[in-house]
PDB file of all heavy atoms in Angstrom:
ATOM      1  N   GLN A  37       7.885  -4.970   5.872  1.00 92.00           N
ATOM      2  CA  GLN A  37       7.880  -4.582   7.280  1.00 92.00           C
ATOM      3  C   GLN A  37       7.550  -3.093   7.426  1.00 92.00           C
ATOM      4  O   GLN A  37       6.786  -2.668   8.282  1.00 92.00           O
ATOM      5  CB  GLN A  37       9.189  -4.913   7.955  1.00 92.00           C
ATOM      6  CG  GLN A  37       9.432  -6.397   8.125  1.00 92.00           C
ATOM      7  CD  GLN A  37      10.847  -6.654   8.636  1.00 92.00           C
ATOM      8  OE1 GLN A  37      11.786  -5.997   8.223  1.00 92.00           O
ATOM      9  NE2 GLN A  37      11.001  -7.673   9.475  1.00 92.00           N
ATOM     10  N   ALA A  38       8.219  -2.274   6.598  1.00 93.00           N
ATOM     11  CA  ALA A  38       8.012  -0.833   6.657  1.00 93.00           C
ATOM     12  C   ALA A  38       6.589  -0.475   6.252  1.00 93.00           C
ATOM     13  O   ALA A  38       5.944   0.380   6.863  1.00 93.00           O
ATOM     14  CB  ALA A  38       9.030  -0.114   5.753  1.00 93.00           C
ATOM     15  N   SER A  39       6.098  -1.160   5.232  1.00 93.00           N
ATOM     16  CA  SER A  39       4.719  -0.917   4.771  1.00 93.00           C
ATOM     17  C   SER A  39       3.718  -1.228   5.853  1.00 93.00           C
ATOM     18  O   SER A  39       2.743  -0.496   6.133  1.00 93.00           O
ATOM     19  CB  SER A  39       4.425  -1.711   3.518  1.00 93.00           C
ATOM     20  OG  SER A  39       3.120  -1.527   3.101  1.00 93.00           O
ATOM     21  N   THR A  40       3.928  -2.343   6.518  1.00 94.00           N
ATOM     22  CA  THR A  40       3.071  -2.779   7.629  1.00 94.00           C
ATOM     23  C   THR A  40       3.125  -1.755   8.795  1.00 94.00           C
ATOM     24  O   THR A  40       2.096  -1.384   9.366  1.00 94.00           O
ATOM     25  CB  THR A  40       3.434  -4.144   8.143  1.00 94.00           C
ATOM     26  OG1 THR A  40       3.296  -5.086   7.058  1.00 94.00           O
ATOM     27  CG2 THR A  40       2.600  -4.576   9.324  1.00 94.00           C
ATOM     28  N   ALA A  41       4.309  -1.273   9.110  1.00 94.00           N
ATOM     29  CA  ALA A  41       4.453  -0.288  10.185  1.00 94.00           C
ATOM     30  C   ALA A  41       3.763   1.019   9.836  1.00 94.00           C
ATOM     31  O   ALA A  41       3.090   1.612  10.702  1.00 94.00           O
ATOM     32  CB  ALA A  41       5.949  -0.052  10.498  1.00 94.00           C
ATOM     33  N   LEU A  42       3.974   1.466   8.618  1.00 95.00           N
ATOM     34  CA  LEU A  42       3.316   2.723   8.168  1.00 95.00           C
ATOM     35  C   LEU A  42       1.789   2.579   8.186  1.00 95.00           C
ATOM     36  O   LEU A  42       1.086   3.454   8.713  1.00 95.00           O
ATOM     37  CB  LEU A  42       3.776   3.084   6.731  1.00 95.00           C
ATOM     38  CG  LEU A  42       5.159   3.693   6.613  1.00 95.00           C
ATOM     39  CD1 LEU A  42       5.644   3.625   5.188  1.00 95.00           C
ATOM     40  CD2 LEU A  42       5.152   5.106   7.150  1.00 95.00           C
ATOM     41  N   THR A  43       1.298   1.479   7.641  1.00 96.00           N
ATOM     42  CA  THR A  43      -0.140   1.271   7.592  1.00 96.00           C
ATOM     43  C   THR A  43      -0.703   1.182   8.987  1.00 96.00           C
ATOM     44  O   THR A  43      -1.775   1.806   9.258  1.00 96.00           O
ATOM     45  CB  THR A  43      -0.468   0.002   6.788  1.00 96.00           C
ATOM     46  OG1 THR A  43       0.070   0.163   5.462  1.00 96.00           O
ATOM     47  CG2 THR A  43      -1.934  -0.250   6.731  1.00 96.00           C
ATOM     48  N   GLY A  44      -0.108   0.451   9.880  1.00 96.00           N
ATOM     49  CA  GLY A  44      -0.599   0.336  11.231  1.00 96.00           C
ATOM     50  C   GLY A  44      -0.656   1.657  11.978  1.00 96.00           C
ATOM     51  O   GLY A  44      -1.665   1.971  12.626  1.00 96.00           O
ATOM     52  N   ALA A  45       0.413   2.431  11.860  1.00 96.00           N
ATOM     53  CA  ALA A  45       0.434   3.758  12.535  1.00 96.00           C
ATOM     54  C   ALA A  45      -0.633   4.672  11.964  1.00 96.00           C
ATOM     55  O   ALA A  45      -1.325   5.382  12.709  1.00 96.00           O
ATOM     56  CB  ALA A  45       1.804   4.391  12.379  1.00 96.00           C
ATOM     57  N   LEU A  46      -0.806   4.667  10.654  1.00 97.00           N
ATOM     58  CA  LEU A  46      -1.777   5.535  10.034  1.00 97.00           C
ATOM     59  C   LEU A  46      -3.217   5.090  10.357  1.00 97.00           C
ATOM     60  O   LEU A  46      -4.113   5.924  10.572  1.00 97.00           O
ATOM     61  CB  LEU A  46      -1.573   5.599   8.538  1.00 97.00           C
ATOM     62  CG  LEU A  46      -0.364   6.429   8.115  1.00 97.00           C
ATOM     63  CD1 LEU A  46      -0.016   6.196   6.646  1.00 97.00           C
ATOM     64  CD2 LEU A  46      -0.558   7.937   8.373  1.00 97.00           C
ATOM     65  N   GLU A  47      -3.467   3.817  10.388  1.00 97.00           N
ATOM     66  CA  GLU A  47      -4.802   3.302  10.722  1.00 97.00           C
ATOM     67  C   GLU A  47      -5.142   3.641  12.173  1.00 97.00           C
ATOM     68  O   GLU A  47      -6.273   4.015  12.478  1.00 97.00           O
ATOM     69  CB  GLU A  47      -4.905   1.795  10.445  1.00 97.00           C
ATOM     70  CG  GLU A  47      -4.961   1.483   8.991  1.00 97.00           C
ATOM     71  CD  GLU A  47      -4.964   0.020   8.678  1.00 97.00           C
ATOM     72  OE1 GLU A  47      -4.671  -0.835   9.589  1.00 97.00           O
ATOM     73  OE2 GLU A  47      -5.219  -0.365   7.514  1.00 97.00           O
ATOM     74  N   ASP A  48      -4.168   3.517  13.082  1.00 97.00           N
ATOM     75  CA  ASP A  48      -4.407   3.886  14.471  1.00 97.00           C
ATOM     76  C   ASP A  48      -4.700   5.403  14.549  1.00 97.00           C
ATOM     77  O   ASP A  48      -5.596   5.805  15.345  1.00 97.00           O
ATOM     78  CB  ASP A  48      -3.196   3.572  15.328  1.00 97.00           C
ATOM     79  CG  ASP A  48      -3.004   2.101  15.572  1.00 97.00           C
ATOM     80  OD1 ASP A  48      -3.938   1.302  15.253  1.00 97.00           O
ATOM     81  OD2 ASP A  48      -1.907   1.721  16.058  1.00 97.00           O
ATOM     82  N   ALA A  49      -3.966   6.191  13.780  1.00 97.00           N
ATOM     83  CA  ALA A  49      -4.225   7.636  13.801  1.00 97.00           C
ATOM     84  C   ALA A  49      -5.588   7.969  13.249  1.00 97.00           C
ATOM     85  O   ALA A  49      -6.289   8.833  13.759  1.00 97.00           O
ATOM     86  CB  ALA A  49      -3.137   8.357  13.005  1.00 97.00           C
ATOM     87  N   ALA A  50      -6.013   7.302  12.181  1.00 97.00           N
ATOM     88  CA  ALA A  50      -7.341   7.530  11.615  1.00 97.00           C
ATOM     89  C   ALA A  50      -8.424   7.206  12.627  1.00 97.00           C
ATOM     90  O   ALA A  50      -9.392   7.933  12.774  1.00 97.00           O
ATOM     91  CB  ALA A  50      -7.503   6.698  10.322  1.00 97.00           C
ATOM     92  N   SER A  51      -8.223   6.121  13.342  1.00 97.00           N
ATOM     93  CA  SER A  51      -9.191   5.739  14.372  1.00 97.00           C
ATOM     94  C   SER A  51      -9.249   6.805  15.475  1.00 97.00           C
ATOM     95  O   SER A  51     -10.313   7.150  15.999  1.00 97.00           O
ATOM     96  CB  SER A  51      -8.794   4.381  14.957  1.00 97.00           C
ATOM     97  OG  SER A  51      -9.657   4.018  16.005  1.00 97.00           O
ATOM     98  N   ALA A  52      -8.058   7.321  15.845  1.00 97.00           N
ATOM     99  CA  ALA A  52      -8.016   8.368  16.901  1.00 97.00           C
ATOM    100  C   ALA A  52      -8.787   9.619  16.447  1.00 97.00           C
ATOM    101  O   ALA A  52      -9.523  10.179  17.261  1.00 97.00           O
ATOM    102  CB  ALA A  52      -6.555   8.704  17.236  1.00 97.00           C
ATOM    103  N   VAL A  53      -8.574  10.029  15.216  1.00 97.00           N
ATOM    104  CA  VAL A  53      -9.281  11.183  14.706  1.00 97.00           C
ATOM    105  C   VAL A  53     -10.774  10.977  14.676  1.00 97.00           C
ATOM    106  O   VAL A  53     -11.586  11.843  15.078  1.00 97.00           O
ATOM    107  CB  VAL A  53      -8.718  11.577  13.315  1.00 97.00           C
ATOM    108  CG1 VAL A  53      -9.590  12.628  12.631  1.00 97.00           C
ATOM    109  CG2 VAL A  53      -7.273  12.094  13.452  1.00 97.00           C
ATOM    110  N   GLN A  80      -6.742   9.694  22.949  1.00 97.00           N
ATOM    111  CA  GLN A  80      -6.431   9.723  21.536  1.00 97.00           C
ATOM    112  C   GLN A  80      -5.111  10.440  21.250  1.00 97.00           C
ATOM    113  O   GLN A  80      -4.389  10.113  20.313  1.00 97.00           O
ATOM    114  CB  GLN A  80      -7.593  10.323  20.745  1.00 97.00           C
ATOM    115  CG  GLN A  80      -8.917   9.611  20.901  1.00 97.00           C
ATOM    116  CD  GLN A  80      -8.749   8.100  20.933  1.00 97.00           C
ATOM    117  OE1 GLN A  80      -8.217   7.462  20.022  1.00 97.00           O
ATOM    118  NE2 GLN A  80      -9.231   7.477  22.019  1.00 97.00           N
ATOM    119  N   VAL A  83      -2.588   7.851  21.626  1.00 97.00           N
ATOM    120  CA  VAL A  83      -2.538   6.981  20.443  1.00 97.00           C
ATOM    121  C   VAL A  83      -1.695   7.664  19.347  1.00 97.00           C
ATOM    122  O   VAL A  83      -0.860   7.033  18.706  1.00 97.00           O
ATOM    123  CB  VAL A  83      -3.976   6.679  19.939  1.00 97.00           C
ATOM    124  CG1 VAL A  83      -3.913   6.013  18.544  1.00 97.00           C
ATOM    125  CG2 VAL A  83      -4.694   5.807  20.912  1.00 97.00           C
ATOM    126  N   LEU A  84      -1.931   8.954  19.138  1.00 97.00           N
ATOM    127  CA  LEU A  84      -1.171   9.688  18.120  1.00 97.00           C
ATOM    128  C   LEU A  84       0.307   9.784  18.466  1.00 97.00           C
ATOM    129  O   LEU A  84       1.153   9.685  17.590  1.00 97.00           O
ATOM    130  CB  LEU A  84      -1.784  11.076  17.907  1.00 97.00           C
ATOM    131  CG  LEU A  84      -3.174  11.049  17.254  1.00 97.00           C
ATOM    132  CD1 LEU A  84      -3.837  12.423  17.352  1.00 97.00           C
ATOM    133  CD2 LEU A  84      -3.090  10.582  15.826  1.00 97.00           C
ATOM    134  N   GLU A  85       0.600   9.936  19.748  1.00 97.00           N
ATOM    135  CA  GLU A  85       1.993   9.948  20.183  1.00 97.00           C
ATOM    136  C   GLU A  85       2.669   8.587  19.861  1.00 97.00           C
ATOM    137  O   GLU A  85       3.835   8.576  19.379  1.00 97.00           O
ATOM    138  CB  GLU A  85       2.111  10.227  21.688  1.00 97.00           C
ATOM    139  CG  GLU A  85       1.818  11.618  22.090  1.00 97.00           C
ATOM    140  CD  GLU A  85       1.799  11.812  23.619  1.00 97.00           C
ATOM    141  OE1 GLU A  85       1.664  10.832  24.353  1.00 97.00           O
ATOM    142  OE2 GLU A  85       1.892  12.956  24.033  1.00 97.00           O
ATOM    143  N   GLU A  86       1.977   7.500  20.143  1.00 97.00           N
ATOM    144  CA  GLU A  86       2.524   6.191  19.859  1.00 97.00           C
ATOM    145  C   GLU A  86       2.763   6.001  18.347  1.00 97.00           C
ATOM    146  O   GLU A  86       3.752   5.439  17.913  1.00 97.00           O
ATOM    147  CB  GLU A  86       1.617   5.106  20.383  1.00 97.00           C
ATOM    148  CG  GLU A  86       1.605   5.022  21.911  1.00 97.00           C
ATOM    149  CD  GLU A  86       0.533   4.098  22.463  1.00 97.00           C
ATOM    150  OE1 GLU A  86      -0.069   3.351  21.684  1.00 97.00           O
ATOM    151  OE2 GLU A  86       0.358   4.099  23.686  1.00 97.00           O
ATOM    152  N   SER A  87       1.790   6.462  17.535  1.00 96.00           N
ATOM    153  CA  SER A  87       1.910   6.332  16.089  1.00 96.00           C
ATOM    154  C   SER A  87       3.089   7.130  15.587  1.00 96.00           C
ATOM    155  O   SER A  87       3.876   6.706  14.739  1.00 96.00           O
ATOM    156  CB  SER A  87       0.623   6.787  15.407  1.00 96.00           C
ATOM    157  OG  SER A  87      -0.428   5.915  15.685  1.00 96.00           O
ATOM    158  N   THR A  88       3.229   8.344  16.118  1.00 96.00           N
ATOM    159  CA  THR A  88       4.336   9.245  15.716  1.00 96.00           C
ATOM    160  C   THR A  88       5.654   8.609  16.101  1.00 96.00           C
ATOM    161  O   THR A  88       6.608   8.604  15.325  1.00 96.00           O
ATOM    162  CB  THR A  88       4.184  10.640  16.316  1.00 96.00           C
ATOM    163  OG1 THR A  88       2.930  11.174  15.866  1.00 96.00           O
ATOM    164  CG2 THR A  88       5.302  11.548  15.919  1.00 96.00           C
ATOM    165  N   SER A  89       5.730   8.058  17.308  1.00 95.00           N
ATOM    166  CA  SER A  89       6.977   7.450  17.753  1.00 95.00           C
ATOM    167  C   SER A  89       7.324   6.259  16.893  1.00 95.00           C
ATOM    168  O   SER A  89       8.476   6.066  16.519  1.00 95.00           O
ATOM    169  CB  SER A  89       6.810   6.976  19.231  1.00 95.00           C
ATOM    170  OG  SER A  89       7.968   6.317  19.660  1.00 95.00           O
ATOM    171  N   ALA A  90       6.325   5.498  16.490  1.00 94.00           N
ATOM    172  CA  ALA A  90       6.599   4.309  15.631  1.00 94.00           C
ATOM    173  C   ALA A  90       7.197   4.760  14.307  1.00 94.00           C
ATOM    174  O   ALA A  90       8.099   4.070  13.770  1.00 94.00           O
ATOM    175  CB  ALA A  90       5.300   3.531  15.414  1.00 94.00           C
ATOM    176  N   LEU A  91       6.714   5.865  13.791  1.00 94.00           N
ATOM    177  CA  LEU A  91       7.222   6.309  12.482  1.00 94.00           C
ATOM    178  C   LEU A  91       8.505   7.082  12.553  1.00 94.00           C
ATOM    179  O   LEU A  91       9.306   7.047  11.626  1.00 94.00           O
ATOM    180  CB  LEU A  91       6.162   7.191  11.774  1.00 94.00           C
ATOM    181  CG  LEU A  91       4.878   6.433  11.385  1.00 94.00           C
ATOM    182  CD1 LEU A  91       3.986   7.330  10.562  1.00 94.00           C
ATOM    183  CD2 LEU A  91       5.180   5.132  10.641  1.00 94.00           C
ATOM    184  N   THR A  92       8.756   7.758  13.658  1.00 94.00           N
ATOM    185  CA  THR A  92      10.030   8.475  13.775  1.00 94.00           C
ATOM    186  C   THR A  92      11.207   7.575  14.017  1.00 94.00           C
ATOM    187  O   THR A  92      12.349   7.887  13.726  1.00 94.00           O
ATOM    188  CB  THR A  92      10.006   9.559  14.909  1.00 94.00           C
ATOM    189  OG1 THR A  92       9.651   8.926  16.119  1.00 94.00           O
ATOM    190  CG2 THR A  92       9.002  10.639  14.572  1.00 94.00           C
ATOM    191  N   THR A  93      10.926   6.360  14.510  1.00 92.00           N
ATOM    192  CA  THR A  93      12.035   5.361  14.692  1.00 92.00           C
ATOM    193  C   THR A  93      12.142   4.413  13.545  1.00 92.00           C
ATOM    194  O   THR A  93      13.057   3.594  13.519  1.00 92.00           O
ATOM    195  CB  THR A  93      11.811   4.596  16.007  1.00 92.00           C
ATOM    196  OG1 THR A  93      10.523   3.953  16.002  1.00 92.00           O
ATOM    197  CG2 THR A  93      11.885   5.521  17.217  1.00 92.00           C
ATOM    198  N   LEU A  94      11.213   4.470  12.590  1.00 92.00           N
ATOM    199  CA  LEU A  94      11.247   3.616  11.427  1.00 92.00           C
ATOM    200  C   LEU A  94      12.285   4.034  10.416  1.00 92.00           C
ATOM    201  O   LEU A  94      12.398   5.224  10.120  1.00 92.00           O
ATOM    202  CB  LEU A  94       9.844   3.630  10.759  1.00 92.00           C
ATOM    203  CG  LEU A  94       9.657   2.819   9.481  1.00 92.00           C
ATOM    204  CD1 LEU A  94       9.710   1.328   9.821  1.00 92.00           C
ATOM    205  CD2 LEU A  94       8.331   3.178   8.840  1.00 92.00           C
ATOM    206  N   ALA A 103       6.589   8.289   1.578  1.00 95.00           N
ATOM    207  CA  ALA A 103       5.367   7.872   2.262  1.00 95.00           C
ATOM    208  C   ALA A 103       5.486   8.088   3.757  1.00 95.00           C
ATOM    209  O   ALA A 103       4.526   8.554   4.417  1.00 95.00           O
ATOM    210  CB  ALA A 103       5.060   6.394   1.960  1.00 95.00           C
ATOM    211  N   ARG A 104       6.646   7.805   4.321  1.00 95.00           N
ATOM    212  CA  ARG A 104       6.881   8.081   5.742  1.00 95.00           C
ATOM    213  C   ARG A 104       6.783   9.553   6.055  1.00 95.00           C
ATOM    214  O   ARG A 104       6.179  10.000   7.035  1.00 95.00           O
ATOM    215  CB  ARG A 104       8.183   7.519   6.231  1.00 95.00           C
ATOM    216  CG  ARG A 104       8.295   7.715   7.775  1.00 95.00           C
ATOM    217  CD  ARG A 104       9.610   7.302   8.316  1.00 95.00           C
ATOM    218  NE  ARG A 104      10.637   8.213   7.833  1.00 95.00           N
ATOM    219  CZ  ARG A 104      11.798   8.308   8.412  1.00 95.00           C
ATOM    220  NH1 ARG A 104      12.115   7.579   9.459  1.00 95.00           N
ATOM    221  NH2 ARG A 104      12.686   9.135   7.952  1.00 95.00           N
ATOM    222  N   ALA A 107       3.252  10.542   5.969  1.00 97.00           N
ATOM    223  CA  ALA A 107       2.588  10.011   7.169  1.00 97.00           C
ATOM    224  C   ALA A 107       2.873  10.853   8.393  1.00 97.00           C
ATOM    225  O   ALA A 107       1.974  11.178   9.181  1.00 97.00           O
ATOM    226  CB  ALA A 107       2.984   8.579   7.395  1.00 97.00           C
ATOM    227  N   LEU A 108       4.129  11.263   8.525  1.00 97.00           N
ATOM    228  CA  LEU A 108       4.501  12.100   9.674  1.00 97.00           C
ATOM    229  C   LEU A 108       3.780  13.470   9.601  1.00 97.00           C
ATOM    230  O   LEU A 108       3.345  14.005  10.624  1.00 97.00           O
ATOM    231  CB  LEU A 108       6.008  12.276   9.750  1.00 97.00           C
ATOM    232  CG  LEU A 108       6.761  11.066  10.267  1.00 97.00           C
ATOM    233  CD1 LEU A 108       8.263  11.242  10.042  1.00 97.00           C
ATOM    234  CD2 LEU A 108       6.445  10.812  11.707  1.00 97.00           C
ATOM    235  N   ALA A 110       0.871  14.013   8.168  1.00 97.00           N
ATOM    236  CA  ALA A 110      -0.515  13.744   8.480  1.00 97.00           C
ATOM    237  C   ALA A 110      -0.712  13.555   9.989  1.00 97.00           C
ATOM    238  O   ALA A 110      -1.692  14.045  10.547  1.00 97.00           O
ATOM    239  CB  ALA A 110      -1.006  12.508   7.727  1.00 97.00           C
ATOM    240  N   LEU A 111       0.224  12.875  10.618  1.00 97.00           N
ATOM    241  CA  LEU A 111       0.154  12.699  12.048  1.00 97.00           C
ATOM    242  C   LEU A 111       0.287  14.012  12.799  1.00 97.00           C
ATOM    243  O   LEU A 111      -0.361  14.238  13.845  1.00 97.00           O
ATOM    244  CB  LEU A 111       1.163  11.691  12.529  1.00 97.00           C
ATOM    245  CG  LEU A 111       0.891  10.229  12.165  1.00 97.00           C
ATOM    246  CD1 LEU A 111       2.071   9.355  12.556  1.00 97.00           C
ATOM    247  CD2 LEU A 111      -0.359   9.757  12.765  1.00 97.00           C
ATOM    248  N   ALA A 114      -3.037  15.678  12.469  1.00 97.00           N
ATOM    249  CA  ALA A 114      -3.984  15.043  13.371  1.00 97.00           C
ATOM    250  C   ALA A 114      -3.794  15.408  14.814  1.00 97.00           C
ATOM    251  O   ALA A 114      -4.706  15.709  15.546  1.00 97.00           O
ATOM    252  CB  ALA A 114      -3.895  13.494  13.202  1.00 97.00           C
ATOM    253  N   ILE A 152      -4.506  11.813   6.437  1.00 97.00           N
ATOM    254  CA  ILE A 152      -4.130  10.426   6.797  1.00 97.00           C
ATOM    255  C   ILE A 152      -4.502   9.467   5.659  1.00 97.00           C
ATOM    256  O   ILE A 152      -3.737   8.617   5.281  1.00 97.00           O
ATOM    257  CB  ILE A 152      -4.827  10.014   8.105  1.00 97.00           C
ATOM    258  CG1 ILE A 152      -4.214  10.800   9.295  1.00 97.00           C
ATOM    259  CG2 ILE A 152      -4.683   8.518   8.359  1.00 97.00           C
ATOM    260  CD1 ILE A 152      -4.949  10.663  10.600  1.00 97.00           C
ATOM    261  N   ALA A 155      -2.004   9.800   2.939  1.00 96.00           N
ATOM    262  CA  ALA A 155      -0.751   9.130   3.284  1.00 96.00           C
ATOM    263  C   ALA A 155      -0.877   7.616   3.178  1.00 96.00           C
ATOM    264  O   ALA A 155       0.052   6.945   2.693  1.00 96.00           O
ATOM    265  CB  ALA A 155      -0.357   9.539   4.707  1.00 96.00           C
ATOM    266  N   LEU A 156      -2.053   7.098   3.555  1.00 96.00           N
ATOM    267  CA  LEU A 156      -2.279   5.633   3.415  1.00 96.00           C
ATOM    268  C   LEU A 156      -2.209   5.234   1.961  1.00 96.00           C
ATOM    269  O   LEU A 156      -1.670   4.177   1.599  1.00 96.00           O
ATOM    270  CB  LEU A 156      -3.613   5.265   4.050  1.00 96.00           C
ATOM    271  CG  LEU A 156      -3.639   4.884   5.476  1.00 96.00           C
ATOM    272  CD1 LEU A 156      -5.052   4.832   6.030  1.00 96.00           C
ATOM    273  CD2 LEU A 156      -2.891   3.583   5.730  1.00 96.00           C
ATOM    274  N   VAL A 159       1.256   4.669   0.742  1.00 92.00           N
ATOM    275  CA  VAL A 159       1.887   3.424   1.177  1.00 92.00           C
ATOM    276  C   VAL A 159       1.558   2.297   0.248  1.00 92.00           C
ATOM    277  O   VAL A 159       2.382   1.449  -0.097  1.00 92.00           O
ATOM    278  CB  VAL A 159       1.473   3.080   2.633  1.00 92.00           C
ATOM    279  CG1 VAL A 159       2.071   1.711   3.048  1.00 92.00           C
ATOM    280  CG2 VAL A 159       1.950   4.170   3.603  1.00 92.00           C
TER     281      VAL A 159
END
Side-chain angles (χ1 to χ4, degrees):
Q37 291 172 323
S39 179
T40 299
L42 283 164
T43 300
L46 287 166
E47 287 175 348
D48 288 349
S51 176
V53 168
Q80 301 320 304
V83 169
L84 291 168
E85 287 174 343
E86 290 171 8
S87 293
T88 301
S89 177
L91 295 187
T92 56
T93 57
L94 177 69
R104 183 184 70 160
L108 286 169
L111 289 174
I152 292 170
L156 271 168
V159 176

